[in-house]
Amino acid sequence: MQYLKAVLGYWAQPANNPVATEYDGRMIDMANAYVWAWDARPFPVFPNNREQWSDGGNYARGHWLNGRVSNRSLASVVTEICRESQLDDLDVSQLWGIVRGYVLDQVEDARAALQPLMLRYGFDAIERDGKLVFRLRDGRGAIEVLPEQFAESGDLEGDVELRREADVDMTGRVRLRFVQSGGDFDVVSEEAILPDDATHAVATSEIPLAMTRAEGRQTVERWLAEARVSRDTARFALPPSKLALGAGDVVQLPATDVGTARYRVDRVEQTDLQLIEAVRIEPGIYETTDMAEDVPALRAFAPPLPVTPVFLDLPLMTGDEVPHAPYVAVAADPWPGSVAVYRSSSDEDYELGEIIAAQSVIGRTETPLLRARPGLWDRGGDLQVRLISGELESRGAEALLNGANLAAIGDGSSGRWELLQFAEAELIAPETYLLRNRLRGQLGSDALMPEVWPEGSVFVLLDRTVTQLGLSSSERRIARHFRIGLAERGYDDPAYRHRVESFDGNGLRPYAPAHLRADPDGQGQRIRWIRRTRIDGDSWDVPEVPLGEESESYLLRVLRDGSILREVTLGLPEWTYTVGMQAQDDAQSGVRIEVAQVSARFGPGPFAGLDWGA
């Protein structure tokens, strides 16, 4: 900016650009003078993406106009604020600096509007002969005050009163919040700390200015240095002959036992003499420290595309979850950075539920998965899965037995999921894997395993990115409306997905009984089974697994062709199907006996079945 100002200002002078003698016009036609240094690379990706463009480091000292044409000189901003307040008699010739961005978000007077600029750039507003003069603080051009020039005042003890504030009143840590320029305009903070004491109080400020991090650090370092030096103040009196000395001027007082010092006049009280109050300054404070510029962090552009949400009403996995609450997994390509989940009892008046910061590993199967026995290694055909994004990895058998590589496969509905684990994941194409050596029907989901999961089934890796929803127990089995989409946009955005879901709370669901069998006895057939538990069932140190429910209860049914012939509620894991009952049910022609454990909160869980008779 200064270069252009110098060049254009020079040639605008008629003496430097005279009228041509050979043609009509001036020697240099400034109406056709153009700035050419515009780079086709988009700002701020250039210069911030150093991996793509290695010359990005030259931008801070280079001639590029990208990202700079909206900058304003400090003098022009101050002038505009003053003239908007009908103040035209001012002098900004001693102001230097660049304003990258400044926001005034409310109506206020010029003094309040100028205050953040004065704090950031370190300048004073001084009244001189009816004109408002703006002057940068630099500590130079000190006016020497000789001992014989002091006036006597009854308000002072001696010629000069020197005072120093107590260290305990000093702020030893300064923090500034501002908008970072040259990136995504994030609000960031910079801090300066005195090196000699880590227990000082913290002074935090926030200004609506855009600046680089280096400029923020320079600002807080100057503030802290000024605060440290300005503990020393001076009061002295001068005669009327020194009326030219006023607020904002720098004076050098006579040497004392600690040497000479410079002071900036802050206040002048005029009576028959001038009573002056000044604070000590050091010119070195105002010399800008050269600091390397930090490269602003840029968020990758995320187009407003729909995300892929998957709701999962799952059994207990660790035992520490909220049993009745479902889960949601979300994926997108590209990932937008964060996804919001809104919910409501109807398709209106939504409230924000969860903010999901990390995407889950979601995909679809490209080969069918046949039924397999739970509790044994499934070494059948490879399961091919294509992911939306993310990756899978192979894990050893010991890691699997400790819970690694747990995944869900289902038809996409919220309640029908089989949980499985896989030991080997082979990458065969971009985001496409073959899964081998599987453990099927984990955590009681064997009762939901079909004869085949067809091609196109939904696959979700159950890692920490899968988020449990904060639904209350009273909301079980009640339809809820959900809207899921980019957190940066409102839930009424067209990119949001609308889903209506209800959840049983499958973390409360009992497991299906195991080892159901029928043995003849003197009264008929003795039906027996073994209870399973959903809570703390992996311990080998106890004789029996915990019950996991309020009381032991089972529902037993005798069916034929799907019709219930007999239904009983039991308190023990056995039941005798007497000869009389068999005759009444015509059991010899073939029946099916099913048993489910009953939960007081969930009701009957999945049934284990046994075909008996013909």
Side-chain angles (χ1 to χ4, degrees), residues 444-472:
S445 63
D446 52 298
L448 303 180
M449 189 191 312
E451 292 300 321
V452 60
W453 287 112
E455 177 184 345
S457 297
V458 180
F459 175 91
V460 180
L461 183 67
L462 300 179
D463 57 10
R464 294 184 179 180
T465 62
V466 180
T467 303
Q468 193 166 30
L469 300 178
L471 297 183
S472 64

Short mmCIF file of all heavy atoms in Angstrom, two decimals, residues 444-472:
data_model
loop_
_atom_site.label_atom_id
_atom_site.label_comp_id
_atom_site.label_asym_id
_atom_site.label_seq_id
_atom_site.Cartn_x
_atom_site.Cartn_y
_atom_site.Cartn_z
N GLY A 444 -25.69 -61.52 22.00
CA GLY A 444 -27.09 -61.91 21.95
C GLY A 444 -27.78 -61.63 20.65
O GLY A 444 -29.00 -61.85 20.53
N SER A 445 -27.05 -61.16 19.63
CA SER A 445 -27.69 -60.84 18.35
C SER A 445 -27.84 -62.07 17.45
O SER A 445 -28.32 -61.94 16.32
CB SER A 445 -26.87 -59.76 17.61
OG SER A 445 -25.58 -60.24 17.29
N ASP A 446 -27.45 -63.27 17.92
CA ASP A 446 -27.62 -64.48 17.12
C ASP A 446 -29.08 -64.74 16.82
O ASP A 446 -29.42 -65.35 15.79
CB ASP A 446 -27.01 -65.68 17.85
CG ASP A 446 -27.53 -65.81 19.27
OD1 ASP A 446 -27.31 -64.89 20.07
OD2 ASP A 446 -28.18 -66.82 19.58
N ALA A 447 -29.99 -64.28 17.71
CA ALA A 447 -31.41 -64.50 17.47
C ALA A 447 -31.93 -63.69 16.30
O ALA A 447 -33.01 -63.99 15.77
CB ALA A 447 -32.19 -64.14 18.74
N LEU A 448 -31.19 -62.66 15.86
CA LEU A 448 -31.61 -61.83 14.73
C LEU A 448 -30.90 -62.20 13.44
O LEU A 448 -31.09 -61.53 12.43
CB LEU A 448 -31.35 -60.35 15.06
CG LEU A 448 -32.00 -59.80 16.33
CD1 LEU A 448 -31.64 -58.34 16.51
CD2 LEU A 448 -33.50 -59.97 16.29
N MET A 449 -30.06 -63.24 13.48
CA MET A 449 -29.30 -63.63 12.30
C MET A 449 -30.21 -64.36 11.31
O MET A 449 -30.80 -65.39 11.63
CB MET A 449 -28.13 -64.53 12.70
CG MET A 449 -27.15 -64.82 11.57
SD MET A 449 -25.94 -66.15 11.99
CE MET A 449 -25.39 -65.63 13.61
N PRO A 450 -30.35 -63.83 10.08
CA PRO A 450 -31.19 -64.51 9.09
C PRO A 450 -30.42 -65.63 8.40
O PRO A 450 -29.22 -65.85 8.68
CB PRO A 450 -31.53 -63.39 8.11
CG PRO A 450 -30.32 -62.52 8.14
CD PRO A 450 -29.79 -62.57 9.56
N GLU A 451 -31.06 -66.30 7.50
CA GLU A 451 -30.37 -67.33 6.72
C GLU A 451 -29.29 -66.72 5.84
O GLU A 451 -28.26 -67.33 5.59
CB GLU A 451 -31.38 -68.11 5.87
CG GLU A 451 -32.33 -68.97 6.68
CD GLU A 451 -31.58 -70.02 7.51
OE1 GLU A 451 -30.58 -70.58 7.00
OE2 GLU A 451 -31.98 -70.25 8.66
N VAL A 452 -29.50 -65.48 5.42
CA VAL A 452 -28.50 -64.79 4.61
C VAL A 452 -28.73 -63.29 4.74
O VAL A 452 -29.87 -62.82 4.73
CB VAL A 452 -28.56 -65.23 3.14
CG1 VAL A 452 -29.93 -64.95 2.52
CG2 VAL A 452 -27.46 -64.55 2.32
N TRP A 453 -27.63 -62.58 4.93
CA TRP A 453 -27.66 -61.13 4.76
C TRP A 453 -27.35 -60.86 3.30
O TRP A 453 -26.27 -61.17 2.82
CB TRP A 453 -26.62 -60.44 5.64
CG TRP A 453 -26.93 -60.43 7.11
CD1 TRP A 453 -26.28 -61.10 8.09
CD2 TRP A 453 -27.98 -59.70 7.75
NE1 TRP A 453 -26.85 -60.85 9.31
CE2 TRP A 453 -27.91 -59.98 9.14
CE3 TRP A 453 -28.99 -58.84 7.30
CZ2 TRP A 453 -28.78 -59.44 10.05
CZ3 TRP A 453 -29.86 -58.29 8.23
CH2 TRP A 453 -29.76 -58.58 9.58
N PRO A 454 -28.28 -60.29 2.55
CA PRO A 454 -28.07 -60.18 1.11
C PRO A 454 -27.07 -59.08 0.76
O PRO A 454 -26.68 -58.26 1.59
CB PRO A 454 -29.46 -59.84 0.59
CG PRO A 454 -30.12 -59.11 1.73
CD PRO A 454 -29.58 -59.77 2.98
N GLU A 455 -26.64 -59.09 -0.48
CA GLU A 455 -25.80 -58.02 -1.00
C GLU A 455 -26.55 -56.68 -0.84
O GLU A 455 -27.76 -56.59 -1.08
CB GLU A 455 -25.49 -58.28 -2.47
CG GLU A 455 -24.68 -57.20 -3.15
CD GLU A 455 -24.48 -57.49 -4.62
OE1 GLU A 455 -24.71 -58.65 -5.04
OE2 GLU A 455 -24.10 -56.56 -5.35
N GLY A 456 -25.83 -55.66 -0.43
CA GLY A 456 -26.45 -54.36 -0.18
C GLY A 456 -26.83 -54.12 1.26
O GLY A 456 -27.39 -53.07 1.58
N SER A 457 -26.53 -55.07 2.16
CA SER A 457 -26.81 -54.86 3.57
C SER A 457 -25.90 -53.76 4.13
O SER A 457 -24.79 -53.52 3.64
CB SER A 457 -26.60 -56.16 4.35
OG SER A 457 -27.50 -57.16 3.92
N VAL A 458 -26.38 -53.11 5.18
CA VAL A 458 -25.64 -51.99 5.77
C VAL A 458 -24.61 -52.52 6.75
O VAL A 458 -24.90 -53.42 7.55
CB VAL A 458 -26.59 -51.01 6.46
CG1 VAL A 458 -25.82 -49.83 7.07
CG2 VAL A 458 -27.64 -50.49 5.48
N PHE A 459 -23.41 -51.94 6.71
CA PHE A 459 -22.30 -52.32 7.58
C PHE A 459 -21.86 -51.08 8.35
O PHE A 459 -21.62 -50.02 7.76
CB PHE A 459 -21.15 -52.88 6.75
CG PHE A 459 -19.90 -53.20 7.54
CD1 PHE A 459 -19.70 -54.45 8.09
CD2 PHE A 459 -18.92 -52.23 7.74
CE1 PHE A 459 -18.56 -54.75 8.82
CE2 PHE A 459 -17.77 -52.51 8.46
CZ PHE A 459 -17.60 -53.77 9.00
N VAL A 460 -21.72 -51.21 9.68
CA VAL A 460 -21.28 -50.10 10.53
C VAL A 460 -20.23 -50.61 11.50
O VAL A 460 -20.48 -51.58 12.23
CB VAL A 460 -22.44 -49.47 11.32
CG1 VAL A 460 -21.94 -48.31 12.17
CG2 VAL A 460 -23.55 -49.00 10.38
N LEU A 461 -19.06 -50.00 11.52
CA LEU A 461 -18.03 -50.32 12.49
C LEU A 461 -18.39 -49.63 13.81
O LEU A 461 -18.58 -48.41 13.87
CB LEU A 461 -16.66 -49.85 12.02
CG LEU A 461 -15.48 -50.21 12.93
CD1 LEU A 461 -15.26 -51.71 12.95
CD2 LEU A 461 -14.21 -49.48 12.48
N LEU A 462 -18.50 -50.41 14.88
CA LEU A 462 -18.94 -49.89 16.16
C LEU A 462 -17.74 -49.41 16.98
O LEU A 462 -17.29 -50.06 17.93
CB LEU A 462 -19.73 -50.95 16.92
CG LEU A 462 -21.00 -51.44 16.21
CD1 LEU A 462 -21.71 -52.50 17.02
CD2 LEU A 462 -21.94 -50.28 15.91
N ASP A 463 -17.21 -48.26 16.59
CA ASP A 463 -16.10 -47.66 17.33
C ASP A 463 -16.61 -46.44 18.08
O ASP A 463 -17.82 -46.24 18.23
CB ASP A 463 -14.95 -47.31 16.38
CG ASP A 463 -15.40 -46.36 15.26
OD1 ASP A 463 -16.54 -45.85 15.34
OD2 ASP A 463 -14.63 -46.15 14.32
N ARG A 464 -15.71 -45.60 18.55
CA ARG A 464 -16.10 -44.48 19.40
C ARG A 464 -16.81 -43.37 18.63
O ARG A 464 -17.36 -42.45 19.25
CB ARG A 464 -14.86 -43.91 20.10
CG ARG A 464 -14.23 -44.88 21.09
CD ARG A 464 -13.08 -44.24 21.83
NE ARG A 464 -12.49 -45.14 22.80
CZ ARG A 464 -11.46 -44.83 23.58
NH1 ARG A 464 -10.91 -43.63 23.50
NH2 ARG A 464 -10.99 -45.72 24.44
N THR A 465 -16.80 -43.41 17.32
CA THR A 465 -17.49 -42.38 16.56
C THR A 465 -19.00 -42.58 16.53
O THR A 465 -19.74 -41.67 16.17
CB THR A 465 -16.97 -42.34 15.12
OG1 THR A 465 -17.24 -43.60 14.48
CG2 THR A 465 -15.46 -42.09 15.10
N VAL A 466 -19.45 -43.78 16.89
CA VAL A 466 -20.89 -44.04 16.94
C VAL A 466 -21.42 -43.40 18.22
O VAL A 466 -20.95 -43.69 19.32
CB VAL A 466 -21.18 -45.54 16.91
CG1 VAL A 466 -22.67 -45.81 16.97
CG2 VAL A 466 -20.59 -46.16 15.64
N THR A 467 -22.41 -42.51 18.08
CA THR A 467 -22.86 -41.65 19.18
C THR A 467 -24.19 -42.14 19.73
O THR A 467 -25.13 -42.41 18.98
CB THR A 467 -23.01 -40.21 18.68
OG1 THR A 467 -21.77 -39.77 18.13
CG2 THR A 467 -23.44 -39.29 19.80
N GLN A 468 -24.25 -42.24 21.05
CA GLN A 468 -25.51 -42.63 21.70
C GLN A 468 -26.38 -41.39 21.89
O GLN A 468 -25.93 -40.34 22.33
CB GLN A 468 -25.23 -43.29 23.04
CG GLN A 468 -26.45 -44.00 23.63
CD GLN A 468 -26.10 -44.93 24.78
OE1 GLN A 468 -25.14 -44.69 25.50
NE2 GLN A 468 -26.86 -45.99 24.95
N LEU A 469 -27.64 -41.51 21.52
CA LEU A 469 -28.57 -40.40 21.60
C LEU A 469 -29.08 -40.24 23.03
O LEU A 469 -29.28 -41.22 23.75
CB LEU A 469 -29.76 -40.62 20.66
CG LEU A 469 -29.42 -40.75 19.17
CD1 LEU A 469 -30.68 -41.01 18.36
CD2 LEU A 469 -28.72 -39.49 18.67
N GLY A 470 -29.33 -39.01 23.40
CA GLY A 470 -29.79 -38.73 24.75
C GLY A 470 -31.30 -38.78 24.89
O GLY A 470 -31.93 -37.78 25.24
N LEU A 471 -31.91 -39.92 24.60
CA LEU A 471 -33.35 -40.08 24.74
C LEU A 471 -33.67 -40.64 26.13
O LEU A 471 -32.93 -41.47 26.66
CB LEU A 471 -33.90 -41.02 23.66
CG LEU A 471 -33.76 -40.53 22.21
CD1 LEU A 471 -34.40 -41.53 21.27
CD2 LEU A 471 -34.38 -39.16 22.02
N SER A 472 -34.78 -40.23 26.68
CA SER A 472 -35.19 -40.71 27.99
C SER A 472 -35.88 -42.06 27.86
O SER A 472 -36.34 -42.46 26.78
CB SER A 472 -36.12 -39.70 28.66
OG SER A 472 -37.32 -39.57 27.92
#
